[in-house]
Amino acid sequence: MTQRRYSPIKIKTAQAHQCTISSRLRILGQLPFFQDLAEAELVQTNMMFHEQGYHAGDIICLSGDPADHLFVVADGRVKLLHHALSGKEILLDLLTPGEFFGSISGLGGDVYPDTAQALSTCCILVINRDAFQQIIRKHPAVSLKVIEIMSRRLQAANERVQLLSTLPVEGRIAFLLLRLAAKFGEKHDVGLLLQVPLSRDDLAGMSGTTTESVSRVMSQFQKDGLVRAGRGWVAVTDTKGLELIAGEKAW
Amino acid sequence: MTQRRYSPIKIKTAQAHQCTISSRLRILGQLPFFQDLAEAELVQTNMMFHEQGYHAGDIICLSGDPADHLFVVADGRVKLLHHALSGKEILLDLLTPGEFFGSISGLGGDVYPDTAQALSTCCILVINRDAFQQIIRKHPAVSLKVIEIMSRRLQAANERVQLLSTLPVEGRIAFLLLRLAAKFGEKHDVGLLLQVPLSRDDLAGMSGTTTESVSRVMSQFQKDGLVRAGRGWVAVTDTKGLELIAGEKAW
DNA sequence: GCACTTAATTGATGCGTGTCATGGAATTGC
DNA sequence: GCAATTCCATGACACGCATCAATTAAGTGC
């Protein structure tokens, strides 16, 4: 087995302090919910954010803590997770630049619903919750976008409930890999390389199973030529094959 | 075993045509997202809805169909569900008067994400998707409420993912019953009676298991004095006991 | 009241997967 | 460089729970 022994992942991460004003404007302008804003409004909105840098492993916000900020990923990768009573980590989502998390809704005594942790060096834009509500009040277009995004996330969560309820481990992992490939996949000589540092543990947390089971399934997938994987990285090589396992096995 | 052989559930259902203008106003006014509207605005908003009646079992909207309406439950019970490829029904949510479903977000080529089915005789208020977007544009307070509600739903969905990933069947069902009791429970001589017609199948669809497993667990719960149940109804008698099973067993 | 239909229960069996345990491989620290 | 650590792979085993099958109970229609 001559297989790569180094991680092919190269996430282009800016240092926290490299989030210049202009790059911030660019990032904000790319945000789905600021798309419809005029340039002047965008500049003004931009000023309401401040930025913050994190290193891989840093906790950005902790589930249960009093919540008064909304965060936007400007650069890097962030994972959203829950800690179950059993100690197991439930991985809820992986966020890329342009996505938001934290506190949006307006109740006074709100707490962060999930924990957010930096997967790589990150630049995060932060805004006060109330300030963001002001933006929403001023710009109905923004609120419509937010609603749209949240409804998509809700759909994704429901889809996941369905997978957990119906598919066996093998199918769940296949499905998960396909989703990840669609979001993070980049053409590479080893296949569609997922541009996120993901351990078997992370995959387990996303597919509702254990590290060992993921390892077993991944080994099998690799034997079957569906994926290539190493320590902390995964690449999808046969999309069709995974689709077959994710879908058809449900019958 | 001298146990009730008839369903104690009595859902106070109005006939579809009994949704009078005044009762509609009352219902709309109670909607979380219209709470902050002035009386005049409410009356005006009211006129943008039309109503529709359904009988138990009727399909209100079908997952995958082109979506152009937003629905609000005025009276009765509605269940939101997915049909898995395996034929299994995944029950996503149970809706009571005041809750909404259908299409909110604005994409042109949208389809309904879930199927909605009447669990009892229902009166549903319907509004065109574009018309509702007009309301949002006009009233930022409404959009904030919608966002708040959606974020709560997302949280609930994530919680469910966590349960499915960590708890055994017994714990999931216990947790489910507690949630249902909090939402639908009414004091009754048999205990906290769930005012929803729920079969074992429905419970299975909500807890990600099978009819048989639900039946077994429910029988055990009944022996242990935690619940009382019959054909199509459930009552919780020992909340603390269920909490113990739902929580502590995870350790 | 009776047959008829649908829902719920209960038992037997086997597969999938979590759990525990061990060894190897890759990475980090000194 | 070598130890120490972390991550991954793999095997053995037990058990939870889905599956299949058969029976009982509860509503429904006539």
Side-chain angles (χ1 to χ4, degrees):
Chain A
M1 274 279 159
T2 88
Q3 98 176 24
R4 303 183 164 268
R5 307 198 169 278
Y6 57 91
S7 169
I9 293 186
K10 285 285 174 291
I11 299 177
K12 323 140 289 296
T13 52
Q15 294 302 317
H17 60 273
Q18 289 182 341
C19 278
T20 61
I21 297 288
S22 71
S23 82
R24 273 176 58 179
L25 260 183
R26 187 180 46 76
I27 288 161
L28 281 179
Q30 283 177 347
L31 284 192
F33 45 83
F34 290 144
Q35 264 172 12
D36 300 342
L37 255 54
E39 180 69 17
E41 295 173 323
L42 198 57
V43 171
Q44 194 191 354
T45 303
N46 183 30
M47 287 171 15
M48 304 175 73
F49 284 88
H50 72 271
E51 67 189 55
Q52 193 135 0
Y54 295 93
H55 295 102
D58 287 354
I59 300 293
I60 302 171
C61 69
L62 206 55
S63 167
D65 276 5
D68 42 8
H69 289 289
L70 175 72
F71 303 88
V72 177
V73 182
D75 195 21
R77 301 273 186 268
V78 172
K79 74 173 173 184
L80 246 48
L81 52 90
H82 262 4
H83 277 110
L85 289 175
S86 59
K88 229 178 168 184
E89 257 190 17
I90 312 294
L91 230 158
L92 294 174
D93 212 346
L94 294 175
L95 306 182
T96 53
E99 298 193 87
F100 65 88
F101 61 96
S103 167
I104 313 182
S105 80
L107 283 170
D110 243 359
V111 296
Y112 292 115
D114 329 299
T115 296
Q117 184 178 18
L119 265 180
S120 63
T121 305
C122 285
C123 176
I124 308 289
L125 302 180
V126 188
I127 189 173
N128 185 273
R129 187 178 56 182
D130 298 332
F132 187 71
Q133 287 196 17
Q134 289 310 320
I135 295 178
I136 287 185
R137 273 183 229 280
K138 254 202 213 151
H139 307 290
V142 174
S143 68
L144 280 174
K145 285 287 181 188
V146 171
I147 291 172
E148 188 183 315
I149 292 169
M150 298 210 59
S151 94
R152 246 202 294 272
R153 288 194 184 175
L154 182 58
Q155 230 174 301
N158 281 336
E159 182 186 67
R160 199 165 153 188
V161 167
Q162 171 163 346
L163 291 180
L164 285 171
S165 315
T166 57
L167 289 186
V169 169
E170 192 188 29
R172 300 210 293 269
I173 294 178
F175 195 94
L176 171 65
L177 292 176
L178 288 171
R179 281 295 151 118
L180 292 176
K183 186 169 182 179
F184 300 100
E186 269 185 20
K187 282 217 173 102
H188 196 273
D189 59 342
V190 296
L192 257 181
L193 178 65
L194 305 190
Q195 283 294 350
V196 208
L198 287 178
S199 66
R200 300 290 179 276
D201 242 327
D202 291 326
L203 293 175
M206 282 189 273
S207 55
T209 179
T210 61
T211 313
E212 296 93 330
S213 287
V214 170
S215 189
R216 270 182 254 274
V217 170
M218 291 293 288
S219 294
Q220 187 58 47
F221 282 179
Q222 195 147 351
K223 268 184 208 155
D224 298 346
L226 301 170
V227 304
R228 303 206 58 182
R231 191 187 170 103
W233 65 273
V234 184
V236 171
T237 52
D238 183 357
T239 309
K240 297 281 178 195
L242 287 178
E243 280 169 358
L244 223 71
I245 294 172
E248 314 287 79
K249 284 268 178 93
W251 287 95
Chain B
M1 276 280 159
T2 88
Q3 97 176 26
R4 305 183 161 268
R5 307 198 170 276
Y6 56 91
S7 171
I9 294 186
K10 285 284 175 293
I11 299 177
K12 323 139 290 295
T13 52
Q15 294 300 319
H17 61 273
Q18 290 182 342
C19 279
T20 60
I21 296 291
S22 72
S23 82
R24 273 176 57 179
L25 261 183
R26 186 181 47 76
I27 287 162
L28 281 179
Q30 285 178 347
L31 285 191
F33 44 85
F34 291 145
Q35 264 173 11
D36 300 341
L37 256 55
E39 180 70 18
E41 295 173 324
L42 197 58
V43 172
Q44 196 191 352
T45 302
N46 183 29
M47 289 173 12
M48 303 175 73
F49 285 87
H50 73 273
E51 67 191 55
Q52 192 134 2
Y54 295 94
H55 295 102
D58 287 354
I59 301 293
I60 302 170
C61 69
L62 208 54
S63 168
D65 277 4
D68 43 6
H69 289 290
L70 175 73
F71 303 88
V72 176
V73 181
D75 196 19
R77 301 276 187 267
V78 172
K79 73 173 174 184
L80 247 49
L81 52 91
H82 262 3
H83 277 109
L85 289 175
S86 58
K88 230 178 167 183
E89 257 189 17
I90 312 295
L91 230 156
L92 295 174
D93 211 348
L94 295 174
L95 306 181
T96 54
E99 299 193 87
F100 65 88
F101 61 96
S103 166
I104 311 181
S105 79
L107 284 169
D110 243 0
V111 296
Y112 292 115
D114 329 299
T115 297
Q117 183 178 20
L119 266 179
S120 65
T121 306
C122 285
C123 176
I124 308 289
L125 302 180
V126 189
I127 190 173
N128 185 273
R129 186 179 55 182
D130 298 331
F132 187 71
Q133 287 197 16
Q134 290 309 318
I135 294 179
I136 287 186
R137 274 184 229 278
K138 254 202 213 154
H139 308 290
V142 174
S143 68
L144 280 175
K145 285 285 181 189
V146 171
I147 290 172
E148 188 183 316
I149 292 169
M150 297 208 62
S151 92
R152 246 201 295 271
R153 288 195 184 174
L154 183 58
Q155 230 174 303
N158 282 336
E159 182 185 67
R160 199 165 154 189
V161 167
Q162 173 163 345
L163 291 179
L164 285 172
S165 314
T166 56
L167 291 185
V169 168
E170 193 188 28
R172 301 209 294 269
I173 294 177
F175 194 95
L176 171 65
L177 291 176
L178 287 171
R179 282 295 152 119
L180 292 175
K183 185 168 183 180
F184 300 99
E186 270 185 19
K187 282 216 173 104
H188 196 273
D189 58 341
V190 295
L192 257 181
L193 178 66
L194 307 190
Q195 283 295 350
V196 208
L198 287 178
S199 66
R200 300 290 181 274
D201 243 327
D202 291 326
L203 293 175
M206 281 189 273
S207 54
T209 180
T210 60
T211 314
E212 294 93 329
S213 286
V214 170
S215 187
R216 271 182 252 273
V217 170
M218 290 293 289
S219 295
Q220 188 57 46
F221 282 178
Q222 195 145 351
K223 267 183 207 155
D224 297 346
L226 301 170
V227 304
R228 305 205 57 183
R231 191 187 169 104
W233 65 274
V234 184
V236 171
T237 53
D238 182 359
T239 310
K240 297 281 178 196
L242 287 178
E243 280 169 358
L244 222 72
I245 295 173
E248 315 288 79
K249 283 267 179 96
W251 286 95

